[in-house]
Amino acid sequence: MSTTSRMTDRYPSRVAPEPRILERQDPVVWGGAGDGPLTGDQLDRFDRDGVLMLQGVLDGGEVDELLVVADELASRPELRASERTIVEATSDQIRSVFEVHRLSEAIRALASDDRLAGAARQLLGSDVYIHQSRVNFKPAIHGEGFFWHSDFETWHTEDGMPAMRAVSFSVALTENFHFNGPLMVLPGSQNAYVTCVGETPDDHYKHSLRSQEIGTPDDASLHTLAERAGGEIRTQVGPAGSIAIFDCNSMHGSNSNISPFPRSNVFLVYNSVENTLVEPFSASKPRPDFIAAREFTPI
Ligand code: 6CS
Ligand code: FE
């Protein structure tokens, strides 16, 4: 697989026959307490853990409006037929709809809301733009999970994101319980880059967005990260309207949902305007814009 970027690759992955754990080369928090809505204590916790749960950011009315939008996006036949909609690997239920901040005015407004965008600018220490947005649906009883991964590993190898200077906001539209497949994060893992084994196949996204295998960590590295986390896994639970903020390199995943309670969230990824995409570091061609934006206008 050719790598066409002329930029030095500080985070090589999918190129060597054995996995390694490399040290992070970039800060986790780029801004300071005076730069936005997050307090110094919240910034410190994010710096240490790579994740921060904000309870009750959106009120009931805002959540209800977004739930209507999410259902509407999931029910539009032309969207359903397009590549923007990802269905589950073992059923025809919708798993994700991509680039939702361009499909819905309400989600566009959410993405530029200072409660989110202001926190993203503060964490990243610069203006930001949306690298990826999606609604994730984890339906009741048959919702499937996401295996452990670092988002940055994929965004670096497949999308050409140079540095660890991006942050994800997962906005809960339904309550996240311990038992309906909430986000799980290994605290502190944002500081370790687990390189993955196996070349990126052509058009990998067509498979990986349903069930990811290439670009996932090996078992031994996961054990090491769990040991470094003191044997702890953080599940992000909270009522609808809560937001889990997590670093682009945090090792995370989620279980399937066999509970009768669906779990839906709006997922927004902010990238620094000083970290715009180049050629993929380990894939033959970039992924489509609706998965990895190449329009870098600040929001
Ligand atoms: O492909 C992406 O951009 C995101 N989705 C998956 C399933 N893995 C990597 C990243 O989180
Ligand atoms: Fe992820």
Side-chain angles (χ1 to χ4, degrees):
M1 192 86 24
S2 71
T3 298
T4 47
S5 173
R6 272 160 284 141
M7 194 178 267
T8 337
D9 190 354
R10 300 180 302 149
Y11 298 113
S13 184
R14 310 188 192 181
V15 287
E18 297 292 338
R20 287 171 63 199
I21 300 183
L22 307 178
E23 229 175 276
R24 184 188 184 107
Q25 314 260 334
D26 298 297
V28 177
V29 174
W30 296 69
D35 300 334
L38 300 176
T39 65
D41 176 59
Q42 288 175 318
L43 293 178
D44 288 347
R45 275 157 45 206
F46 188 83
D47 195 41
R48 184 191 65 203
D49 300 334
V51 64
L52 183 67
M53 188 68 174
L54 305 177
Q55 306 271 348
V57 180
L58 272 55
D59 67 31
E62 292 175 300
V63 169
D64 288 346
E65 186 191 356
L66 290 167
L67 271 172
V68 170
V69 167
D71 283 347
E72 198 260 332
L73 291 173
S75 64
R76 265 161 58 183
E78 84 282 7
L79 266 184
R80 173 74 188 231
S82 80
E83 276 200 313
R84 276 172 179 63
T85 298
I86 309 295
V87 295
E88 298 277 23
T90 62
S91 75
D92 61 0
Q93 301 215 56
I94 294 179
R95 177 175 175 83
S96 308
V97 180
F98 276 82
E99 213 185 26
V100 287
H101 70 295
R102 291 193 188 281
L103 296 170
S104 152
E105 185 53 40
I107 297 179
R108 195 203 58 73
L110 176 71
S112 53
D113 189 304
D114 202 53
R115 291 169 291 177
L116 288 81
R121 280 190 286 267
Q122 183 179 19
L123 287 165
L124 303 179
S126 70
D127 268 332
V128 296
Y129 71 94
I130 295 290
H131 167 66
Q132 182 186 92
S133 74
R134 60 210 273 186
V135 177
N136 281 331
F137 299 90
K138 196 176 277 190
I141 306 174
H142 302 289
E144 291 170 25
F146 288 82
F147 190 72
W148 291 107
H149 63 279
S150 147
D151 293 330
F152 178 76
E153 195 277 343
T154 291
W155 299 338
H156 183 68
T157 54
E158 299 194 31
D159 300 336
M161 183 182 286
M164 293 183 184
R165 197 173 177 179
V167 63
S168 298
F169 285 58
S170 178
V171 181
L173 301 186
T174 58
E175 179 151 1
N176 280 246
F177 301 100
H178 286 291
F179 47 71
N180 65 348
L183 178 69
M184 304 191 295
V185 178
L186 283 168
S189 59
Q190 76 280 5
N191 291 316
Y193 183 64
V194 180
T195 73
C196 300
V197 170
E199 275 188 12
T200 309
D202 286 342
D203 291 332
H204 182 226
Y205 68 93
K206 292 182 181 171
H207 180 79
S208 68
L209 298 177
R210 307 175 84 188
S211 172
Q212 190 177 5
E213 286 149 40
I214 301 291
T216 59
D218 61 291
D219 291 7
S221 297
L222 276 176
H223 282 294
T224 303
L225 264 46
E227 265 164 44
R228 291 184 189 177
E232 192 195 352
I233 291 175
R234 289 278 164 85
T235 49
Q236 307 303 314
V237 294
S242 306
I243 301 183
I245 308 178
F246 60 105
D247 179 76
C248 61
N249 189 48
S250 289
M251 189 60 75
H252 66 283
S254 64
N255 283 319
S256 67
N257 183 16
I258 60 169
S259 87
F261 306 104
R263 173 187 175 259
S264 303
N265 59 61
V266 177
F267 184 74
L268 298 164
V269 181
Y270 297 88
N271 188 26
S272 167
V273 295
E274 293 166 22
N275 190 37
T276 54
L277 305 189
V278 296
E279 289 299 302
F281 286 86
S282 205
S284 56
K285 64 174 199 290
R287 298 194 295 178
D289 289 19
F290 66 84
I291 304 174
R294 282 177 186 274
E295 217 261 289
F296 310 125
T297 315
I299 55 163

